[in-house]
Amino acid sequence: MDLKIGWLYPTLMSTYGDRGNVICLQRRCQWRGIGVEIVPLDREADVSQVATVDVIVGGGAQDRQQEIVMRDLQGAKAAAMREQLAGGTPGAFTCGSPQLLGHYYEPALGQRIDGLGLLDLTTRHPGIAAPRCIGNVAFEIVAEPLATELRQLWNEPPIAIGFENHGGRTYLGKVAPLGKVLAGYGNNGEDGWEGAFYSNAIATYAHGPLLPKNPFIADWLIQTALQRKYQQPITLTKLDDSLAQQARKAMLQRLNLASLPGNA
Ligand code: GLN
């Protein structure tokens, strides 16, 4: 078995170590004997590459780089991305990437940049004088059926941890929120929601990077991608995640969340 991992704009969108998400997926596949090809979905990529990847990963970006990406991802390439995600290709999108998948991003300076309009959400930066949303973040994933499937993989409540650093505030329309904020700001610091979940696409503000800190999400992406590709139920071999577990425990203690079920 093998998977093609599409990586959105690797050189323009990989703030705060987001490339770690791609490395995490790659290693967790290789440790199980699953072949991996990493396909950069950047300015040089053509539509057929966007249309044939099995899982898509996108990281964050500074406003300037984000604008370049949002201007490039138009036309046939945008249509292929829409088709992939609407059709159930799993993906993990952090920070700048969800802003790109939404209707638009209004930066602190300059003009509104249109997104793909795939996720019913909008993002506005309230201006350079406004404080950024920075710090460790923890949230309980509540989007269904994702939350139930993660529980089956992990045998624990799907609490995700990460690190956020964004100026933009995201407001959800009809798209489902990914999780409920337990610590940190989440989408906008006001409504208590973190991220969004659409089809099989996970959108979040959590860098960290997200997947090494939350290996159950990485395994969900791998399992979902393999099941779609091979049209059969897949059970992944267990890996030794004791180091990730210790790191998670330390962070939950630091955030005064150590008493949550499954983390005591
Ligand atoms: N430029 C966006 C913001 O500040 C995204 C930042 C990021 O991806 N880290 O909201």
Side-chain angles (χ1 to χ4, degrees):
M1 286 198 212
D2 56 82
L3 284 180
K4 268 191 197 174
I5 302 175
W7 184 3
L8 287 182
Y9 301 87
T11 52
L12 290 168
M13 303 193 83
S14 192
T15 50
Y16 314 116
D18 284 340
R19 72 184 59 244
N21 288 329
V22 177
I23 298 168
C24 177
L25 286 178
Q26 180 188 33
R27 300 300 287 152
R28 293 182 79 83
C29 282
Q30 289 170 342
W31 286 329
R32 294 170 163 126
I34 302 163
V36 172
E37 185 188 342
I38 295 170
V39 184
L41 303 179
D42 53 15
R43 282 185 287 185
E44 283 73 46
D46 62 36
V47 185
S48 68
Q49 289 174 299
V50 180
T52 52
V53 293
D54 304 308
V55 50
I56 304 177
V57 180
Q62 308 301 325
D63 285 10
R64 223 176 73 79
Q65 282 79 359
Q66 196 170 328
E67 187 170 349
I68 299 170
V69 167
M70 286 168 98
R71 300 217 185 285
D72 183 66
L73 197 54
Q74 304 285 340
K77 248 197 248 180
M81 264 289 281
R82 277 197 203 94
E83 202 170 307
Q84 276 275 42
L85 296 181
T89 297
F93 303 93
T94 304
C95 204
S97 298
Q99 297 176 355
L100 170 98
L101 297 179
H103 296 296
Y104 60 79
Y105 174 56
E106 267 179 22
L109 301 167
Q111 299 206 334
R112 178 186 280 197
I113 316 162
D114 285 334
L116 292 183
L118 192 59
L119 304 185
D120 188 12
L121 57 85
T122 57
T123 306
R124 291 186 296 278
H125 192 306
I128 42 171
R132 293 179 68 79
C133 304
I134 303 179
N136 292 307
V137 60
F139 54 97
E140 173 161 10
I141 294 178
V142 294
E144 291 295 355
L146 178 66
T148 303
E149 291 171 9
L150 291 175
R151 227 180 236 117
Q152 281 160 5
L153 270 173
W154 192 240
N155 286 326
E156 283 177 16
I159 310 287
I161 57 173
F163 172 79
E164 59 184 329
N165 185 346
H166 52 108
R169 271 65 164 178
T170 294
Y171 299 91
L172 305 181
K174 289 200 179 68
V175 67
L178 174 65
K180 254 191 201 147
V181 174
L182 301 170
Y185 297 90
N187 286 346
N188 49 51
E190 296 161 31
D191 61 21
W193 295 123
E194 210 300 313
F197 183 65
Y198 162 78
S199 191
N200 279 325
I202 292 172
T204 178
Y205 270 116
H207 302 276
L210 175 77
L211 299 182
K213 285 198 165 183
N214 305 286
F216 55 99
I217 303 180
D219 282 357
W220 179 85
L221 290 165
I222 295 169
Q223 190 182 55
T224 307
L226 288 173
Q227 287 180 165
R228 283 192 81 248
K229 182 165 186 175
Y230 294 99
Q231 294 291 304
Q232 63 184 71
I234 301 284
T235 307
L236 296 176
T237 11
K238 286 253 170 297
L239 298 176
D240 177 5
D241 284 320
S242 49
L243 282 176
Q245 283 283 32
Q246 284 175 46
R248 289 173 54 76
K249 214 173 197 174
M251 181 49 70
L252 290 169
Q253 265 163 9
R254 201 193 291 179
L255 295 172
N256 293 321
L257 296 170
S259 59
L260 285 173
N263 295 292

